[in-house]
Amino acid sequence: MCPVQSFKISCFQSRKCLALSMHVQQMFPIMLGCRAQAHCVCCALIGFVRGTPLRSDWTASDSGNFSSLRPLCFCAVCCMSVIMATAGKVIKCKAAVAWGRGRPCRSKRWRWLRPKPTRSASSGDGDRRSRERAAFQLFATGICHTDSYTLSGSDPEGLFPVILGHEGAGTVESVGEGVTKFKAGDTVVPLYVPQCGDCKFCKNPKTNLCQKIRVTQGQGLMPDRTTRFTCQGKPVFHFMGCSTFSEYTVVVDISLAKVDEKAALDKVCLLGCGISTGYGAVLNTAKVEPGSTCAVFGLGALGLAVIMGCKEVGASRIIGVDINPDKFQKAKEFGATDLVNPKDHSRPIQEVLVEMTDGGLDYTFECVGNVAIMRAALEACHKGWGVSVIIGVAGAGQEISTRPFQLVTGRTWKGTAFGGWKSVESVPKLVDDYMNKKLKVDEFVTHTLPFDKINEGFELLHSGQSIRTVLNF
Ligand SMILES: NC(=O)c1ccc[n+]([C@@H]2O[C@H](COP(=O)([O-])OP(=O)(O)OC[C@H]3O[C@@H](n4cnc5c(N)ncnc54)[C@H](O)[C@@H]3O)[C@@H](O)[C@H]2O)c1
Ligand SMILES: [Zn+2]
Ligand SMILES: [Zn+2]
């Protein structure tokens, strides 16, 4: 590790930096003006005595390895450290490593491997073939149901050991050789659906499913087929091209959106998945028209984001469906006009909804990940024009079914990944919409925890108590 690097600890809530001098044994934390001005205590003291402003320049060496980032401090200790620092050294940082499928978060093994400040993820390959990548420091990450799904072992693509997480926000630490769109210090949100702009998927306005790095991303690797993480001497896989359950991570540059630097990172991290997906399912995938009737199955973050979208486009009726009545109040606040608990009915829920809506709904959205509910959502659609959108991710090997007659008679079954957003160009706009108060984000955050309590965050999700838990590093 670069010796001077370790004194930089950022505190995103206050949007200030806490410069903590490791080389003076972590004894003298001081608050500085902004997170770009991270300097050691010696520099701060010299600056204070001399009345000179602190310098805020950071630089990366030409190897592009993020571990080679150096602050340009001017005290003797830092100068020595910079001279001693060499490219290719690794960053040791906090990371939550999932070691095996099907293990509950609270299992002994997981707990044993809870993030530890000084061991866990490390990066550093010194590999000049890995041109197009950016490394960045995470400031906050959300826990999505998809993380829990992979941790449970239901994901056919799930690989272990892995650093999960894909709803993050942070700042670029350094960029690889050849990366021109980002520089150190940029505020960014990682993207599990990239946008290269070159592949035939990117060039087709009908889809957002860029395939440029699909194969290696699915294998938990960077495009050069290596992993940038090691833990206890073992390679650790990347997850969805993001791996945000780590204080530092490395992504391909097409998997990164540069967003407004004033954005609250502990909120906009959620635009990296759940909120954008549900909202985009309404606007981009279903293209719901004003006056439509809609039903939303599952009232977690995804379902609430769908309700938000339906309300925005002027749906006349928005029926929320969930087996957990504790979810109803929030759904109402988001704009649900009716709330239905399938457990209150002896008949199949699709029959109940068809009766409530004089023949069925114009649009339905499945936000649970259950194939039986996917069928119910399709069959709750109106004959002739009803459209059902699958958002939930079902378990490995599961299949959907219905009578073909349902489709013959004019119902349409669709699905969406990341709400159909072309990610690199859309996420910055979604962040702007949030900052201009056009898009709700704060309302999704029910819990905020320090990163070390990641297992509690998973428990809150499983127990149905949380909509989104945000973990702060
Ligand atoms: N397509 C995508 O790009 C994408 C992106 C993110 C998440 N997802 C998936 O979306 C789904 C929802 O994610 P989330 O984070 O909102 O999850 P969540 O766990 O917060 O919410 C799921 C909700 O479904 C409800 N539910 C469970 N069983 C039900 C049933 N039988 N009938 C009605 N409601 C039921 C739960 O009570 C809960 O409120 C997950 O499957 C997730 O993997 C897909
Ligand atoms: Zn997600
Ligand atoms: Zn592409």
Side-chain angles (χ1 to χ4, degrees), residues 194-203 208-213 254 422:
Q195 185 186 359
C196 75
D198 278 339
C199 73
K200 70 175 177 184
F201 290 79
C202 280
K203 286 181 176 158
N208 63 335
L209 297 176
C210 173
Q211 297 295 292
K212 180 92 171 188
I213 56 169
I254 58 171
K422 297 256 187 198

Side-chain angles (χ1 to χ4, degrees), residues 52-302:
T52 50
L54 296 171
R55 292 172 60 181
S56 59
D57 329 34
W58 290 73
T59 182
S61 84
D62 64 0
S63 80
N65 187 312
F66 72 87
S67 62
S68 60
L69 187 80
R70 301 166 201 173
L72 297 178
C73 288
F74 42 80
C75 74
V77 181
C78 285
C79 291
M80 278 307 291
S81 303
V82 170
I83 291 163
M84 285 156 58
T86 56
K89 289 186 177 176
V90 300
I91 281 183
K92 288 184 179 173
C93 65
K94 283 186 191 181
V97 180
W99 286 91
R101 67 181 64 219
R103 294 178 194 282
C105 300
R106 285 180 66 81
S107 77
K108 198 175 167 197
R109 210 156 174 204
W110 174 273
R111 280 157 60 116
W112 181 58
L113 286 160
R114 270 185 167 176
K116 295 242 164 46
T118 52
R119 76 174 157 196
S120 291
S122 63
S123 170
D125 56 2
D127 179 354
R128 285 179 178 266
R129 285 175 304 156
S130 325
R131 295 168 64 87
E132 297 180 308
R133 61 160 204 252
F136 66 102
Q137 183 180 16
L138 271 298
F139 288 84
T141 179
I143 301 178
C144 173
H145 197 112
T146 309
D147 301 312
S148 143
Y149 161 78
T150 301
L151 185 63
S152 74
S154 304
D155 179 358
E157 280 198 347
L159 296 160
F160 296 90
V162 65
I163 296 176
L164 298 169
H166 58 285
E167 285 184 344
T171 55
V172 173
E173 189 72 13
S174 68
V175 295
E177 210 181 290
V179 175
T180 53
K181 290 183 189 149
F182 299 95
K183 61 180 188 322
D186 285 347
T187 303
V188 287
V189 170
L191 308 164
Y192 65 90
V193 174
Q195 185 186 359
C196 75
D198 278 339
C199 73
K200 70 175 177 184
F201 290 79
C202 280
K203 286 181 176 158
N204 190 329
K206 292 180 180 171
T207 183
N208 63 335
L209 297 176
C210 173
Q211 297 295 292
K212 180 92 171 188
I213 56 169
R214 172 72 193 112
V215 174
T216 46
Q217 180 172 317
Q219 294 166 341
L221 300 171
M222 294 294 281
D224 64 358
R225 299 189 176 277
T226 64
T227 167
R228 298 294 188 278
F229 303 119
T230 59
C231 182
Q232 298 175 349
K234 295 196 183 84
V236 175
F237 289 111
H238 296 246
F239 178 63
M240 293 174 80
C242 296
S243 286
T244 59
F245 293 165
S246 176
E247 202 179 8
Y248 289 82
T249 190
V250 188
V251 300
V252 181
D253 64 346
I254 58 171
S255 306
L256 209 52
K258 186 172 166 179
V259 303
D260 191 323
E261 61 178 18
K262 294 186 291 301
L265 300 180
D266 58 341
K267 302 294 186 308
V268 298
C269 60
L270 300 185
L271 291 172
C273 181
I275 299 176
S276 305
T277 300
Y279 185 63
V282 177
L283 272 64
N284 305 323
T285 312
K287 298 189 170 68
V288 174
E289 306 91 359
S292 305
T293 56
C294 304
V296 185
F297 293 73
L299 302 175
L302 275 288

Side-chain angles (χ1 to χ4, degrees), residues 23 26 46 74 88 106 174 180 252 285 375 377 389 397 418 470:
H23 51 251
Q26 303 187 9
I46 293 167
F74 42 80
R106 285 180 66 81
S174 68
T180 53
V252 181
T285 312
R375 178 176 190 153
V389 180
F418 197 48
V470 171

Side-chain angles (χ1 to χ4, degrees), residues 145-146 192 301-302 322 327 367-368 373 391 393 416 418 468:
H145 197 112
T146 309
Y192 65 90
L302 275 288
D322 203 299
K327 302 283 173 124
C367 310
V368 181
I373 300 169
I391 302 175
V393 179
T416 192
F418 197 48
R468 274 293 186 267

